[in-house]
Each structure stands twice: as C-alpha cells, then as structure tokens.
Amino acid sequence: MQKSEISGPSLLLVCTSRHRLPRLTVWLSRIQHWVLLKAIYEMNIFNQLVPVIRGFRAAKKSCKASFSFSRSFRDSSVEVHSQEQEVIIALGSNVGDRLHNFDKALQQMKKSGIQITKHGCLYETEPAYVTDQPRFLNSAVRGVTKLQPHELLKVLKKIERDMGRTDGIRYGPRPIDLDILFYGNHTINTDILTIPHERIQERPFVMAPLVDLFGSDIDDYAIKLENIFSKRSGGLLETWEKLGGESLVGKDGMQRVVPIANQLRNLSSKTSIMGILNVTPDSFSDGGKYLSMQSAVSQVQLMLLEGADIIDLGAQSTRPMASKLSAEEELDRLIPVLEAVRSMPEMEGKLLSVDTFYSQVAAEAVSKGAHLVNDVSSGQLDSSMHSVVATLKVPYIAMHMRGDPSTMQNSENLEYNDVCKEVAYELYKRVSDAELSGIPAWRIIIDPGIGFSKNTEQNLDILVGLPLIRSEIARRSLAVSHAPLLIGPSRKRFLGEVCGRPAAAERDPATIAAVTSGVLGGANIVRVHNVKDNRDAVKLCGAMMERKRSYPCNGKHN
C-alpha cells in the first residue's frame, strides 16, 4: 500500500496567513472521520480513483493552504511531492520489430526510475481510427516511481523520440507509444497531460491489458470508479464487460498472443503437444533409453512425425529422490544432443524446450537454439533463474513444486487444506516474483505440477480442478490466469496406483484419459511420452470443444 508523506495524527497544513487557521479547523472538523482516514491511508491507486473529500478543492482555495500531496492538478506547475506513486502505462507499437520495441521501452523505463511490478498480456490488434496501417501490438504495465507526473511524461516522450517516433499523423504508425493511464490516485488536467487518460473506456485494446493488471478481487476499487469513467457507470471490470469483455479476445480484431521463436502465437487456439526426451540414465519412464546420439535423434524424429509441436529436452532426472547433477554435468549431457536436434530439418517450424532448474543451463541452452525454459522449481532451486531468463527474453514455464526432488514427497510438502487453491496461490506468488525480476506476464506459461509434491488424490484433484486453479489465480492477477496452462501427467505414478499398473510403460491408456480430462478442463499444452496416441486424444477434444461452441442449441437437445 502506498503512503503519502502525510500521516493521520501529524497532518500538517501550512496556511499563508495565520488568522485563517480557525476557519481551517472548522472545515477539518466537518469531515467525517472515516473519510479522512481513507483519504490519507488508502493511497493505492485502485482504492482511490473516486475523489473522497468533496469540498477539498474549494477549501484549499479559500485558505490558500499548501499540502504535501494533491488529488487534482489543474496547472502544470503543481506536482506531487510524495515519496512514491503507483502508475499504469499503456504500450503500443506497429512499426519495426514490435516486441523488441516493447522490450527496449521497458528497459529504458527501468533505467529512468520506473519499477515495473506487473505486466498485462500481449495483444495483437487491428488499428483504430487510422485503419490503413499495420496491426498493433498492445499491452500495459503497472509500476511505481518517484517521478512527478510531468517529469514522468517527459521521460516517456524522450523514450519515444529515442526509439524513432516523430510527429506524424495522429493515431498513425509508430515504433512505440507510451501513454500514462493513471498516476497514483490523482486527477490531472493540464495543457499537455490528462490523467486518467481521456479515451480509456472506448478502446478495447487499452482496456484488455489494463484489466489484466488486476485481479477479480479488487478491494473497494471495483465499486468506486463511476467518477473515473465519467461517460459510463460502474467500475473498471464493468466497463470492460460493457465493451464485450473476454468475448472480444480471439476474434479477428484482437488476439492474445505469446512471443516464441520470433513469432506471435495464439496458444489458446489449439492444444499443443510437447514430446518428452530425457537424455538421462535414471528418469522414471525412459531412463537410459536415449543416451546415445543416434537413439536420441531417432526418438525426436519419431515424435515429430507423430505430431509433436514442441520437444522438451532434459538431462537431469526430477523423479522423487533422484540424485542431483551439477550444472556442468547437466550441460555435458545436454548440449551435444540439443545441437544435433536443433539442426534437424524436421525441426523447422517446431519448438525446442529445455527442462532445467539451473540458470546457467538455461542460458547456454538458449544460446544454442532452445526457444523455451521449463523450470520445475519456478526459480526456487536457483536464485538467479528469474533474472537470467528475463535477459534471455524467451517464454518461461513456471511449475508448482514444494521443496526439491529429494524432499517434494515428504509429509510436510504433501500437506494441503485445499490443493487447488493452495497450488494456485503458490504458483501465482512465484510468477509474481518472476515478473518483479523482469519476466513479463506475456512470456509466462503455468504448470500446476502434477506428480510433484502431490499424492494420488491431490493429483486427481488438480486434473479435475484446472478451471478452479485458473479462477483462483484470476482473483489476484487476470494476466497470469490467462497464461497458457501446461500439464504433464504422462505415465506418472498416480496413474499406476489408480489403474494397478506398476510399470510406467503400461500407463499410456491412463495417460490418454488424463490428457483428455486436462484438455477439456482448459490445458493449452500437454507434455507426454507417447505423442501418437495422445495426439489423437487432443484432436478429438478439440473437435468436441469446437462443436460445443458452434452447436446451434448451445448443447441443448429438444
């Protein structure tokens, strides 16, 4: 929670003439106690967008008091003097490498004193107003800064100029567009700056990433936005719903996308198959099978032929009680196979993921051609992982696990009151840490970690509770809840316990059932050993869901 330099008991008003102090005292005494406390303490942007003290402006004028904060700016010479303010900034680009423009702008913002705390999703949108121009990339970020509002504006305009933006057609093409949507809890209206941004509520390409920055549980803010959105009644979420809300996403005009391998991909349009290749002697299912280069390459060729979209390459076993390799040992196993796989003609248009919890391995693998980093620990086993992945600018798969492979199945790590809610919360916290380190939400993929720190019943709860996990994450961050969701039930022990199949190789039918349940529950990526049979299951699920969407009676029979 942001706090002003003013504290309740020590509220100091300095008047230009002492004889006006009695009038000021009378004015203050008429303010309801709870309103005053709210004005002073609730400095978070989302709890204060509605003016709290109705007579503030008139009282300030009558006593010519000088405050150390202000809720309204009508003159460009007036600035905020509080220590730190929360800000929301919209980003847009449709010239050049749009994603690179975003990355560069965020770097420059950080250098200029703006700490980014949350990122919206990434949207590719049709141009508005001036339609004869390339498609835009849009998002928004939330952060904190000590820059005063007009200083912040100057910083953002300088970033735009440095990145090649020139004065041209209004709403025309631009390499970068940075707009201040909100600044603390303040209303600003000067010749050069209007905050809140005047056209927020009419622009879906602004509203979508703006809404992403919050959760569905938005303290008091959700019911107190009528004065901010003066042309509409209701708060932010209600305004978004009136525009069309989530139904607008996925249509021709606006796509939610993930940047992978120099492309923008809509991972929600169909479920992707991730084929597993373990070059390890001790993995629970295929340990020792693909240690030679020839066997590894042949297995990749087979998985690609059978329909794999992604190959997930791992050189360290993460099965329960697995012995831990050093980063150097892992690299010795991994890199020769990775280079061979990456050079295969069959990999054209396919993606390569590296399964590691070491930042050193992740960096080396990406430098050799890996497109994604798949971390079973979400940064818990290497404190440098998040900051390193942030510099790599590749998608990051954050998986839920407690402890490490040697401790994840102990009684303490299997203790849950509600496994879906607790997994959602813990996963959100790790993703939040990743965001603070510089990994935008638009590069995050979430994995609830089936088989990791869960017993059989808890794994089943996760499988049937994927929608609940998303909704629980959405309470805290809509952006993270929209992230692609990966599940990896393939041949896991809980399938054997349910079906009486002690041998991992005999669990493919149960895997297909688990994958089917997961896809129907909203999984966007499934990680499997047997690509061929699971591909059929995924295709059937896709056809069923498409039929459900298009069925003329919406699934109801006469």
mmCIF file of all heavy atoms in Angstrom, residues 5-34:
data_model
loop_
_atom_site.group_PDB
_atom_site.id
_atom_site.type_symbol
_atom_site.label_atom_id
_atom_site.label_comp_id
_atom_site.label_asym_id
_atom_site.label_seq_id
_atom_site.Cartn_x
_atom_site.Cartn_y
_atom_site.Cartn_z
ATOM 1 N N GLU A 5 3.451 11.211 2.358
ATOM 2 C CA GLU A 5 4.319 11.714 3.408
ATOM 3 C C GLU A 5 3.507 12.199 4.610
ATOM 4 O O GLU A 5 4.031 12.397 5.691
ATOM 5 C CB GLU A 5 5.160 12.869 2.873
ATOM 6 C CG GLU A 5 6.194 12.420 1.852
ATOM 7 C CD GLU A 5 6.978 13.595 1.339
ATOM 8 O OE1 GLU A 5 6.470 14.714 1.352
ATOM 9 O OE2 GLU A 5 8.117 13.379 0.944
ATOM 10 N N ILE A 6 2.196 12.367 4.409
ATOM 11 C CA ILE A 6 1.340 12.822 5.497
ATOM 12 C C ILE A 6 0.855 11.618 6.285
ATOM 13 O O ILE A 6 0.409 10.651 5.711
ATOM 14 C CB ILE A 6 0.122 13.584 4.951
ATOM 15 C CG1 ILE A 6 0.597 14.753 4.085
ATOM 16 C CG2 ILE A 6 -0.759 14.074 6.070
ATOM 17 C CD1 ILE A 6 -0.529 15.471 3.434
ATOM 18 N N SER A 7 0.939 11.660 7.574
ATOM 19 C CA SER A 7 0.350 10.624 8.409
ATOM 20 C C SER A 7 -0.826 11.221 9.160
ATOM 21 O O SER A 7 -0.883 12.434 9.385
ATOM 22 C CB SER A 7 1.382 10.060 9.386
ATOM 23 O OG SER A 7 1.839 11.065 10.238
ATOM 24 N N GLY A 8 -1.783 10.346 9.589
ATOM 25 C CA GLY A 8 -3.020 10.831 10.179
ATOM 26 C C GLY A 8 -2.832 11.804 11.335
ATOM 27 O O GLY A 8 -3.273 12.949 11.277
ATOM 28 N N PRO A 9 -2.172 11.421 12.424
ATOM 29 C CA PRO A 9 -2.067 12.292 13.587
ATOM 30 C C PRO A 9 -1.234 13.537 13.337
ATOM 31 O O PRO A 9 -1.360 14.529 14.040
ATOM 32 C CB PRO A 9 -1.416 11.397 14.650
ATOM 33 C CG PRO A 9 -1.656 10.011 14.170
ATOM 34 C CD PRO A 9 -1.640 10.108 12.679
ATOM 35 N N SER A 10 -0.339 13.492 12.332
ATOM 36 C CA SER A 10 0.574 14.612 12.123
ATOM 37 C C SER A 10 0.278 15.359 10.838
ATOM 38 O O SER A 10 1.164 15.910 10.213
ATOM 39 C CB SER A 10 2.012 14.100 12.105
ATOM 40 O OG SER A 10 2.181 13.160 11.067
ATOM 41 N N LEU A 11 -0.992 15.373 10.432
ATOM 42 C CA LEU A 11 -1.397 16.092 9.235
ATOM 43 C C LEU A 11 -1.049 17.567 9.407
ATOM 44 O O LEU A 11 -1.475 18.223 10.336
ATOM 45 C CB LEU A 11 -2.898 15.933 9.019
ATOM 46 C CG LEU A 11 -3.492 16.655 7.814
ATOM 47 C CD1 LEU A 11 -2.912 16.052 6.547
ATOM 48 C CD2 LEU A 11 -4.999 16.524 7.812
ATOM 49 N N LEU A 12 -0.234 18.102 8.488
ATOM 50 C CA LEU A 12 0.260 19.458 8.628
ATOM 51 C C LEU A 12 -0.204 20.293 7.463
ATOM 52 O O LEU A 12 0.086 19.980 6.311
ATOM 53 C CB LEU A 12 1.792 19.447 8.697
ATOM 54 C CG LEU A 12 2.461 20.840 8.801
ATOM 55 C CD1 LEU A 12 1.997 21.515 10.095
ATOM 56 C CD2 LEU A 12 3.963 20.693 8.766
ATOM 57 N N LEU A 13 -0.934 21.365 7.733
ATOM 58 C CA LEU A 13 -1.391 22.296 6.721
ATOM 59 C C LEU A 13 -0.734 23.643 7.004
ATOM 60 O O LEU A 13 -0.881 24.200 8.096
ATOM 61 C CB LEU A 13 -2.913 22.438 6.739
ATOM 62 C CG LEU A 13 -3.697 21.138 6.532
ATOM 63 C CD1 LEU A 13 -5.177 21.397 6.766
ATOM 64 C CD2 LEU A 13 -3.450 20.615 5.140
ATOM 65 N N VAL A 14 -0.015 24.155 6.043
ATOM 66 C CA VAL A 14 0.682 25.424 6.239
ATOM 67 C C VAL A 14 -0.072 26.501 5.487
ATOM 68 O O VAL A 14 -0.085 26.504 4.261
ATOM 69 C CB VAL A 14 2.136 25.338 5.736
ATOM 70 C CG1 VAL A 14 2.844 26.653 5.999
ATOM 71 C CG2 VAL A 14 2.852 24.201 6.438
ATOM 72 N N CYS A 15 -0.723 27.412 6.188
ATOM 73 C CA CYS A 15 -1.503 28.469 5.559
ATOM 74 C C CYS A 15 -0.638 29.702 5.378
ATOM 75 O O CYS A 15 0.321 29.938 6.121
ATOM 76 C CB CYS A 15 -2.720 28.819 6.408
ATOM 77 S SG CYS A 15 -3.962 27.504 6.410
ATOM 78 N N THR A 16 -0.994 30.512 4.398
ATOM 79 C CA THR A 16 -0.225 31.721 4.117
ATOM 80 C C THR A 16 -0.519 32.828 5.125
ATOM 81 O O THR A 16 0.239 33.777 5.242
ATOM 82 C CB THR A 16 -0.539 32.209 2.699
ATOM 83 O OG1 THR A 16 -1.947 32.428 2.590
ATOM 84 C CG2 THR A 16 -0.113 31.177 1.682
ATOM 85 N N SER A 17 -1.642 32.726 5.842
ATOM 86 C CA SER A 17 -1.937 33.721 6.881
ATOM 87 C C SER A 17 -2.521 33.031 8.104
ATOM 88 O O SER A 17 -3.411 32.211 7.983
ATOM 89 C CB SER A 17 -2.912 34.775 6.343
ATOM 90 O OG SER A 17 -4.098 34.179 5.905
ATOM 91 N N ARG A 18 -2.020 33.379 9.283
ATOM 92 C CA ARG A 18 -2.388 32.659 10.494
ATOM 93 C C ARG A 18 -3.841 32.865 10.890
ATOM 94 O O ARG A 18 -4.452 32.005 11.526
ATOM 95 C CB ARG A 18 -1.484 33.087 11.649
ATOM 96 C CG ARG A 18 -0.042 32.679 11.443
ATOM 97 C CD ARG A 18 0.804 33.078 12.635
ATOM 98 N NE ARG A 18 2.189 32.698 12.442
ATOM 99 C CZ ARG A 18 3.150 32.970 13.332
ATOM 100 N NH1 ARG A 18 2.855 33.630 14.441
ATOM 101 N NH2 ARG A 18 4.378 32.580 13.099
ATOM 102 N N HIS A 19 -4.433 34.015 10.553
ATOM 103 C CA HIS A 19 -5.782 34.259 11.023
ATOM 104 C C HIS A 19 -6.794 33.330 10.370
ATOM 105 O O HIS A 19 -7.931 33.266 10.793
ATOM 106 C CB HIS A 19 -6.169 35.725 10.770
ATOM 107 C CG HIS A 19 -6.378 36.040 9.324
ATOM 108 N ND1 HIS A 19 -5.330 36.398 8.478
ATOM 109 C CD2 HIS A 19 -7.510 36.044 8.567
ATOM 110 C CE1 HIS A 19 -5.811 36.627 7.265
ATOM 111 N NE2 HIS A 19 -7.123 36.418 7.284
ATOM 112 N N ARG A 20 -6.395 32.582 9.340
ATOM 113 C CA ARG A 20 -7.331 31.662 8.699
ATOM 114 C C ARG A 20 -7.325 30.278 9.343
ATOM 115 O O ARG A 20 -8.055 29.392 8.940
ATOM 116 C CB ARG A 20 -7.005 31.537 7.216
ATOM 117 C CG ARG A 20 -7.342 32.813 6.460
ATOM 118 C CD ARG A 20 -6.955 32.721 5.025
ATOM 119 N NE ARG A 20 -7.299 33.958 4.322
ATOM 120 C CZ ARG A 20 -6.914 34.238 3.085
ATOM 121 N NH1 ARG A 20 -6.186 33.378 2.433
ATOM 122 N NH2 ARG A 20 -7.259 35.377 2.511
ATOM 123 N N LEU A 21 -6.453 30.057 10.292
ATOM 124 C CA LEU A 21 -6.405 28.753 10.935
ATOM 125 C C LEU A 21 -7.726 28.357 11.583
ATOM 126 O O LEU A 21 -8.145 27.203 11.492
ATOM 127 C CB LEU A 21 -5.276 28.727 11.980
ATOM 128 C CG LEU A 21 -3.873 28.523 11.394
ATOM 129 C CD1 LEU A 21 -2.836 28.700 12.500
ATOM 130 C CD2 LEU A 21 -3.750 27.161 10.744
ATOM 131 N N PRO A 22 -8.462 29.233 12.274
ATOM 132 C CA PRO A 22 -9.757 28.812 12.842
ATOM 133 C C PRO A 22 -10.721 28.316 11.773
ATOM 134 O O PRO A 22 -11.407 27.317 11.972
ATOM 135 C CB PRO A 22 -10.261 30.092 13.518
ATOM 136 C CG PRO A 22 -9.027 30.854 13.848
ATOM 137 C CD PRO A 22 -8.089 30.593 12.712
ATOM 138 N N ARG A 23 -10.764 29.037 10.641
ATOM 139 C CA ARG A 23 -11.658 28.584 9.568
ATOM 140 C C ARG A 23 -11.261 27.206 9.076
ATOM 141 O O ARG A 23 -12.099 26.337 8.818
ATOM 142 C CB ARG A 23 -11.622 29.574 8.402
ATOM 143 C CG ARG A 23 -12.555 29.169 7.263
ATOM 144 C CD ARG A 23 -12.421 30.101 6.069
ATOM 145 N NE ARG A 23 -12.724 31.476 6.451
ATOM 146 C CZ ARG A 23 -12.608 32.505 5.607
ATOM 147 N NH1 ARG A 23 -12.198 32.295 4.362
ATOM 148 N NH2 ARG A 23 -12.896 33.727 6.001
ATOM 149 N N LEU A 24 -9.948 26.997 8.955
ATOM 150 C CA LEU A 24 -9.451 25.701 8.506
ATOM 151 C C LEU A 24 -9.808 24.607 9.507
ATOM 152 O O LEU A 24 -10.201 23.499 9.140
ATOM 153 C CB LEU A 24 -7.935 25.766 8.317
ATOM 154 C CG LEU A 24 -7.248 24.497 7.845
ATOM 155 C CD1 LEU A 24 -7.792 24.070 6.483
ATOM 156 C CD2 LEU A 24 -5.743 24.712 7.766
ATOM 157 N N THR A 25 -9.702 24.957 10.811
ATOM 158 C CA THR A 25 -10.027 23.974 11.842
ATOM 159 C C THR A 25 -11.490 23.575 11.777
ATOM 160 O O THR A 25 -11.856 22.402 11.907
ATOM 161 C CB THR A 25 -9.707 24.545 13.230
ATOM 162 O OG1 THR A 25 -8.325 24.906 13.267
ATOM 163 C CG2 THR A 25 -9.999 23.518 14.320
ATOM 164 N N VAL A 26 -12.351 24.566 11.564
ATOM 165 C CA VAL A 26 -13.773 24.268 11.445
ATOM 166 C C VAL A 26 -14.032 23.365 10.255
ATOM 167 O O VAL A 26 -14.803 22.405 10.322
ATOM 168 C CB VAL A 26 -14.580 25.584 11.307
ATOM 169 C CG1 VAL A 26 -16.041 25.281 10.949
ATOM 170 C CG2 VAL A 26 -14.509 26.385 12.607
ATOM 171 N N TRP A 27 -13.348 23.693 9.148
ATOM 172 C CA TRP A 27 -13.535 22.871 7.923
ATOM 173 C C TRP A 27 -13.130 21.428 8.147
ATOM 174 O O TRP A 27 -13.838 20.496 7.793
ATOM 175 C CB TRP A 27 -12.715 23.488 6.789
ATOM 176 C CG TRP A 27 -12.713 22.650 5.555
ATOM 177 C CD1 TRP A 27 -13.730 22.454 4.682
ATOM 178 C CD2 TRP A 27 -11.623 21.874 5.058
ATOM 179 N NE1 TRP A 27 -13.341 21.607 3.674
ATOM 180 C CE2 TRP A 27 -12.053 21.229 3.880
ATOM 181 C CE3 TRP A 27 -10.299 21.660 5.499
ATOM 182 C CZ2 TRP A 27 -11.249 20.412 3.142
ATOM 183 C CZ3 TRP A 27 -9.481 20.844 4.753
ATOM 184 C CH2 TRP A 27 -9.964 20.226 3.596
ATOM 185 N N LEU A 28 -11.976 21.248 8.818
ATOM 186 C CA LEU A 28 -11.498 19.889 9.061
ATOM 187 C C LEU A 28 -12.450 19.135 9.986
ATOM 188 O O LEU A 28 -12.661 17.930 9.844
ATOM 189 C CB LEU A 28 -10.101 19.917 9.678
ATOM 190 C CG LEU A 28 -8.949 20.209 8.702
ATOM 191 C CD1 LEU A 28 -7.642 20.356 9.468
ATOM 192 C CD2 LEU A 28 -8.840 19.106 7.665
ATOM 193 N N SER A 29 -13.022 19.817 10.958
ATOM 194 C CA SER A 29 -13.899 19.130 11.909
ATOM 195 C C SER A 29 -15.161 18.617 11.250
ATOM 196 O O SER A 29 -15.828 17.734 11.786
ATOM 197 C CB SER A 29 -14.267 20.079 13.045
ATOM 198 O OG SER A 29 -15.099 21.128 12.551
ATOM 199 N N ARG A 30 -15.520 19.151 10.112
ATOM 200 C CA ARG A 30 -16.738 18.716 9.444
ATOM 201 C C ARG A 30 -16.525 17.498 8.556
ATOM 202 O O ARG A 30 -17.467 16.968 7.989
ATOM 203 C CB ARG A 30 -17.294 19.872 8.593
ATOM 204 C CG ARG A 30 -17.787 21.042 9.432
ATOM 205 C CD ARG A 30 -18.226 22.198 8.547
ATOM 206 N NE ARG A 30 -18.684 23.322 9.362
ATOM 207 C CZ ARG A 30 -19.006 24.518 8.869
ATOM 208 N NH1 ARG A 30 -18.912 24.736 7.559
ATOM 209 N NH2 ARG A 30 -19.418 25.484 9.665
ATOM 210 N N ILE A 31 -15.303 17.147 8.379
ATOM 211 C CA ILE A 31 -15.014 15.968 7.555
ATOM 212 C C ILE A 31 -15.236 14.714 8.378
ATOM 213 O O ILE A 31 -14.708 14.595 9.479
ATOM 214 C CB ILE A 31 -13.560 15.976 7.033
ATOM 215 C CG1 ILE A 31 -13.329 17.218 6.186
ATOM 216 C CG2 ILE A 31 -13.278 14.734 6.184
ATOM 217 C CD1 ILE A 31 -11.889 17.346 5.707
ATOM 218 N N GLN A 32 -15.998 13.794 7.847
ATOM 219 C CA GLN A 32 -16.242 12.562 8.582
ATOM 220 C C GLN A 32 -14.934 11.834 8.843
ATOM 221 O O GLN A 32 -14.079 11.753 7.967
ATOM 222 C CB GLN A 32 -17.175 11.651 7.784
ATOM 223 C CG GLN A 32 -18.560 12.248 7.592
ATOM 224 C CD GLN A 32 -19.448 11.308 6.813
ATOM 225 O OE1 GLN A 32 -19.198 10.119 6.782
ATOM 226 N NE2 GLN A 32 -20.491 11.843 6.205
ATOM 227 N N HIS A 33 -14.833 11.268 10.029
ATOM 228 C CA HIS A 33 -13.566 10.655 10.437
ATOM 229 C C HIS A 33 -13.117 9.546 9.484
ATOM 230 O O HIS A 33 -11.961 9.480 9.094
ATOM 231 C CB HIS A 33 -13.722 10.105 11.853
ATOM 232 C CG HIS A 33 -12.476 9.468 12.380
ATOM 233 N ND1 HIS A 33 -11.310 10.167 12.596
ATOM 234 C CD2 HIS A 33 -12.228 8.184 12.731
ATOM 235 C CE1 HIS A 33 -10.390 9.350 13.057
ATOM 236 N NE2 HIS A 33 -10.918 8.144 13.154
ATOM 237 N N TRP A 34 -14.046 8.692 9.093
ATOM 238 C CA TRP A 34 -13.638 7.563 8.235
ATOM 239 C C TRP A 34 -13.228 8.028 6.844
ATOM 240 O O TRP A 34 -12.372 7.429 6.207
ATOM 241 C CB TRP A 34 -14.762 6.543 8.132
ATOM 242 C CG TRP A 34 -15.974 7.001 7.369
ATOM 243 C CD1 TRP A 34 -17.053 7.642 7.869
ATOM 244 C CD2 TRP A 34 -16.206 6.839 5.967
ATOM 245 N NE1 TRP A 34 -17.949 7.905 6.863
ATOM 246 C CE2 TRP A 34 -17.460 7.418 5.695
ATOM 247 C CE3 TRP A 34 -15.481 6.268 4.914
ATOM 248 C CZ2 TRP A 34 -18.008 7.443 4.433
ATOM 249 C CZ3 TRP A 34 -16.019 6.281 3.657
ATOM 250 C CH2 TRP A 34 -17.268 6.884 3.418
#
